[in-house]
Amino acid sequence: MKILVFRFSAMGDVAMTAPVLKELTEQNPDIELVIVSRRSYQPFFNSVSNSTFVGVNLEDYKGIGGLKKLASLLEGYKADMIADLHNVLRTKILKFFLTFSVKKIATLNKGRKEKKKLIQKNNKTLKPLRQMSERYADVFRELGFKIRLSHQLSSQNSKSCRIIGIAPFANYKEKMFPLKKMEELCLHLANNNYTILLFGGGKEEIKILNSWENLNPNIQSIAGKKSLDEEIKLIQTLPLMISMDSANMHIASLAGTRVISIWGATHPFAGFLGYGQKEDDCVQLNTLTCRPCSIFGNKPCYRKDWACMNNLAIQDILSKI
């Protein structure tokens, strides 16, 4: 049985699917996956057995005509089913073009209504929602496959205990621990004989992280120096990462590495905690009634004081190490 799997989206969202697909193929060795995603995300799926990765440059498939062209390409893989792990207009159009070439289609339920109640200003319903990993697994259950997720990290044997990876950036300010405090945290750990590896990307981030290297010889920036595949392999060797609610948390989960995650405007209750990570390792202010105000952190702080991040202390993070 061959299944087309759609997941484009942002890096962290795509990385989240990989542990689910890995366990799916391990528990159902008779199926074959054709994973369709952005070309640069191929390293996320190297550990998924019995799978073929189709890397897509979305710029080559714009508009209805472009998606029809992509659907024609995908028809060549002769899939029996489609698992839509994205559920956006693009994948809906692809499914329309492929409807008559497959036997069954299942689509991700994003739980939008529950998430809306979680982030509303008044009468907020603050309770854990279904984890996104289970929502991804539900798509394959709907297709008729059995899958039981372990929610466990892979083995962490033989990992040095004095090296910590730190990824201080996120797409939005509402999801970032203040950089000055993060710099102080790095220096504190380095002064206590921890080796700190800094992760990031983009010119400005690389510039900032390179400047932190000068604070202590135990601080090293690898930003911009390694490919995604090389970063994953490096993170696999680490006993611990410190990250925002960002792609690096999910990459560390994929690599089997424990993460101390820092949460501001977003909340692990929304279901986006890294696969196999523990809520006890989440650093967050539970006393703020405005949290969470956003599912993805893309809404400006309506209080204008960013208290959810600014009021966190360095010691809140150190106490988790």
Side-chain angles (χ1 to χ4, degrees):
M1 190 67 65
K2 187 181 289 187
I3 309 172
L4 274 174
V5 181
F6 297 152
R7 191 46 158 140
F8 300 102
S9 195
M11 181 181 287
D13 296 325
V14 176
M16 283 183 72
T17 65
V20 177
L21 300 184
K22 183 175 185 293
E23 294 195 22
L24 171 71
T25 53
E26 289 172 350
Q27 295 173 33
N28 299 270
D30 56 332
I31 68 174
E32 180 183 351
L33 302 182
V34 179
I35 303 167
V36 187
S37 188
R38 296 177 188 269
R39 187 176 299 162
S40 58
Y41 297 158
Q42 180 170 359
F44 294 150
F45 303 100
N46 288 342
S47 63
V48 179
S49 61
N50 208 22
S51 68
T52 299
F53 183 82
V54 181
V56 175
N57 180 359
L58 295 177
E59 293 297 312
D60 296 335
Y61 301 101
K62 289 183 176 181
I64 300 295
L67 291 174
K68 187 174 183 179
K69 177 183 174 183
L70 177 57
S72 296
L73 183 153
L74 297 176
E75 270 188 312
Y77 288 91
K78 301 186 183 304
D80 303 288
M81 300 178 174
I82 294 176
D84 180 1
L85 304 185
H86 200 175
N87 190 9
V88 293
L89 181 59
R90 178 183 289 117
T91 58
K92 289 176 182 177
I93 295 172
L94 283 174
K95 287 182 294 185
F96 172 78
F97 286 131
L98 292 166
T99 297
F100 298 107
S101 64
V102 297
K103 299 175 183 176
K104 197 170 184 179
I105 296 174
T107 301
L108 175 69
N109 177 0
K110 295 183 175 181
R112 289 190 176 96
K113 289 183 179 179
E114 304 99 291
K115 289 174 181 175
K116 186 176 181 180
K117 292 178 181 179
L118 183 68
I119 63 173
Q120 61 191 15
K121 283 187 181 181
N122 302 313
N123 302 315
K124 190 185 300 291
T125 304
L126 189 62
K127 66 178 183 179
L129 303 183
R130 189 161 180 76
Q131 295 180 29
M132 286 304 301
S133 54
E134 289 291 348
R135 291 185 185 274
Y136 294 140
D138 285 341
V139 176
F140 296 99
R141 293 174 182 131
E142 185 179 340
L143 291 174
F145 300 98
K146 292 183 179 179
I147 174 174
R148 184 174 181 178
L149 300 181
S150 67
H151 297 287
Q152 298 294 319
L153 296 175
S154 58
S155 175
Q156 299 186 56
N157 293 337
S158 304
K159 293 189 176 184
S160 170
C161 63
R162 303 298 296 183
I163 304 178
I164 297 177
I166 295 183
F169 297 102
N171 286 335
Y172 306 103
K173 178 178 179 178
E174 284 71 16
K175 294 174 68 172
M176 280 178 55
F177 191 55
L179 284 178
K180 187 60 181 176
K181 286 186 178 181
M182 186 60 81
E183 180 183 317
E184 292 174 14
L185 173 68
C186 290
L187 187 57
H188 175 88
L189 291 170
N191 287 338
N192 283 275
N193 298 318
Y194 282 94
T195 297
I196 304 302
L197 301 182
L198 301 172
F199 292 79
K203 291 183 178 180
E204 286 304 312
E205 292 183 12
I206 291 172
K207 182 178 178 181
I208 291 169
L209 298 185
N210 285 344
S211 71
W212 290 6
E213 280 189 312
N214 299 324
L215 300 175
N216 188 293
N218 286 336
I219 300 176
Q220 178 185 351
S221 173
I222 65 162
K225 299 175 183 176
K226 294 184 180 294
S227 67
L228 177 58
D229 189 41
E230 290 171 332
E231 283 197 10
I232 293 172
K233 290 177 180 177
L234 177 58
I235 293 172
Q236 284 177 331
T237 69
L238 303 179
L240 177 66
M241 282 278 290
I242 298 173
S243 172
M244 309 299 105
D245 167 25
S246 68
N248 283 286
M249 173 179 62
H250 299 297
I251 294 172
S253 287
L254 179 60
T257 297
R258 176 190 167 217
V259 178
I260 294 174
S261 53
I262 305 172
W263 300 74
T266 58
H267 200 292
F269 279 6
F272 290 96
L273 181 61
Y275 190 81
Q277 303 298 338
K278 306 299 182 185
E279 193 171 332
D280 285 346
D281 283 333
C282 296
V283 179
Q284 57 185 330
L285 285 176
N286 292 317
T287 54
L288 285 175
T289 57
C290 58
R291 289 192 63 242
C293 63
S294 173
I295 296 298
F296 303 109
N298 56 342
K299 296 181 179 179
C301 173
Y302 63 80
R303 290 171 46 128
K304 307 298 183 184
D305 62 356
W306 292 270
C308 56
M309 279 299 188
N310 288 333
N311 291 359
L312 286 174
I314 293 173
Q315 187 56 41
D316 296 328
I317 302 169
L318 293 173
S319 65
K320 302 284 187 180
I321 297 176

